[in-house]
Amino acid sequence: MGAYGHSAYGHNHVPRDRAARREFRSAVHDQLLSLPMLLAAVALVLGPMVSQAGPKDAQMNELIVGIALLFVVGRRLYRGSSARSDLVVGGLGAWMIAAPFLLGLQNTAIAEGNKILDVTAGIVLVLAAAASLMTIRGNRDQQRPEHARTTR
């Protein structure tokens, strides 16, 4: 059995001791949850360049949000994540869900692909940010002393 609770047969288990569990959650939080955020950011940056369809204000919105996400997710991968970065990602995801309707994208027949990209990327971002925030809370609860958890 390895340090992280991996058996010789390749079965992955959550580690048993507290320090290893915290390290495991940190890896999940910083690396695995950043991947869908990064993919959504790349899709938002490259989408307007590839399609060249739809209103220019929608394309600029996708480009600006995609670049902002690349900076936030890049910082998250390099320095580790925080609740602030998760809230920024979740807020940008919520904006991408609402943007097609607020910018009038639904009235143009040619921009249906942009609408689908925006809403899909927004849903991915909101779900990844919510999962990341729950992981932060799990880490914080694990770091508190036992008597502090029971008196809540």
Side-chain angles (χ1 to χ4, degrees):
M1 173 110 23
Y4 297 108
H6 301 283
S7 68
Y9 300 107
H11 297 284
N12 294 330
H13 300 287
V14 176
R16 295 180 192 259
D17 66 337
R18 184 174 284 181
R21 264 195 312 245
R22 193 172 318 128
E23 185 178 332
F24 179 77
R25 277 198 183 124
S26 177
V28 167
H29 186 250
D30 292 341
Q31 278 25 40
L32 294 178
L33 290 174
S34 295
L35 181 63
M37 294 176 188
L38 184 64
L39 292 176
V42 169
L44 287 172
V45 169
L46 294 180
M49 291 182 214
V50 172
S51 72
Q52 297 286 323
K56 294 301 175 198
D57 59 346
Q59 289 181 356
M60 287 305 296
N61 179 53
E62 291 171 354
L63 188 63
I64 290 169
V65 170
I67 289 171
L69 280 168
L70 284 175
F71 281 115
V72 172
V73 174
R75 182 200 173 278
R76 176 189 171 93
L77 285 169
Y78 181 68
R79 291 209 159 178
S81 60
S82 65
R84 183 179 304 144
S85 69
D86 293 334
L87 291 173
V88 169
V89 169
L92 290 172
W95 168 249
M96 290 311 298
I97 293 170
F101 307 104
L102 296 176
L103 295 177
L105 246 168
Q106 78 274 12
N107 294 332
T108 57
I110 196 168
E112 192 65 30
N114 289 18
K115 181 178 170 183
I116 292 170
L117 172 68
D118 291 353
V119 172
T120 304
I123 290 170
V124 167
L125 291 169
V126 167
L127 290 177
S132 183
L133 283 170
M134 287 189 284
T135 306
I136 287 175
R137 181 177 174 142
N139 271 346
R140 188 175 59 213
D141 286 347
Q142 286 293 327
Q143 291 173 352
R144 290 184 11 198
E146 188 66 37
H147 63 83
R149 278 187 255 160
T150 57
T151 59
R152 215 188 339 181

